[in-house]
Amino acid sequence: MPRLLFFCGHAGTGKTTLAKQLIAPLMARTGESFCLLDKDTLYGGYSAAVMRALTGDPNDRDSPTYLQNLREPEYAGLMATARENLALGVNVIVVGPLSREIRAHLLTDRAWLGVEGDVTVRVVWVHLDEAEARRRITARANPNDAWKLAHWGDYRTRLFMPDPADYPELTLFDNTGATPAQVDALLADLLGSN
């Protein structure tokens, strides 16, 4: 039974780092292979080239031009790649914000995902305090974050924290100062063993 695991959340929450931290323990505990699909790794260079051509700014990932022209194709390609791996029996970890999809409850909608009933789907929403997220975004100095930092007041209006009562399909993970015990509990949750 293939597994499709999502690590979602806003910029700076550590979703990629957390997914990478868990991939070896997941493989060790299951004896199965996992493929890591990070949206920024898959589409970063491509999107930079397109945005350079469209706006002159290869680091733009927040403007209306990006959101209207590249966001959806990036996610469509990400999910198509995930489905191909799942069809081959390879477990998949998908990393990306996916905030619109979370709000619409799409990540557990098998018709939207295009996956069969034998695929185990788990969705982790990685979050932390806004001030800590901003500190981490500043510290990582990624040019793709320039707009966020320059327009934090506008950017923060897109931030949201899912209410567990409204989003029971999510595993909420506070990554502010996650302890090894909390990471182990998350691993157990992803494996369905808690």
Side-chain angles (χ1 to χ4, degrees), residues 39-67:
K39 184 180 84 68
D40 291 338
T41 302
L42 287 172
Y43 293 103
Y46 173 80
S47 295
V50 172
M51 292 309 293
R52 181 182 292 113
L54 292 177
T55 69
D57 182 0
N59 302 311
D60 177 359
R61 297 298 183 279
D62 293 287
S63 73
T65 300
Y66 171 81
L67 296 173

Side-chain angles (χ1 to χ4, degrees), residues 70 127 142:
L70 289 181
H127 63 95
N142 184 327

Side-chain angles (χ1 to χ4, degrees), residues 57-153:
D57 182 0
N59 302 311
D60 177 359
R61 297 298 183 279
D62 293 287
S63 73
T65 300
Y66 171 81
L67 296 173
Q68 292 167 8
N69 295 289
L70 289 181
R71 185 190 186 280
E72 297 307 318
E74 284 182 357
Y75 281 127
L78 185 67
M79 291 310 304
T81 306
R83 284 190 293 275
E84 283 187 350
N85 279 278
L86 291 166
L88 295 170
V90 178
N91 300 302
V92 177
I93 298 173
V94 173
V95 179
L98 290 151
S99 54
R100 288 184 197 170
E101 293 73 14
I102 292 284
R103 286 179 194 252
H105 301 273
L106 292 176
L107 298 187
T108 52
D109 179 340
R110 291 184 181 278
W112 185 86
L113 291 171
V115 300
E116 300 297 325
D118 67 333
V119 175
T120 299
V121 179
R122 296 270 196 276
V123 184
V124 179
W125 179 261
V126 184
H127 63 95
L128 42 73
D129 176 74
E130 180 185 332
E132 176 61 12
R134 187 172 185 176
R135 187 196 67 74
R136 290 183 187 188
I137 290 170
T138 302
R140 72 184 182 186
N142 184 327
N144 293 346
D145 294 326
W147 186 93
K148 292 176 188 71
L149 293 170
H151 304 89
W152 192 262

Side-chain angles (χ1 to χ4, degrees), residues 4-27:
L4 175 57
L5 311 178
F6 289 96
F7 285 76
C8 306
H10 298 300
T13 57
K15 54 193 175 292
T16 301
T17 302
L18 183 61
K20 288 179 177 180
Q21 180 182 353
L22 288 173
I23 198 164
L26 283 164
M27 290 191 292

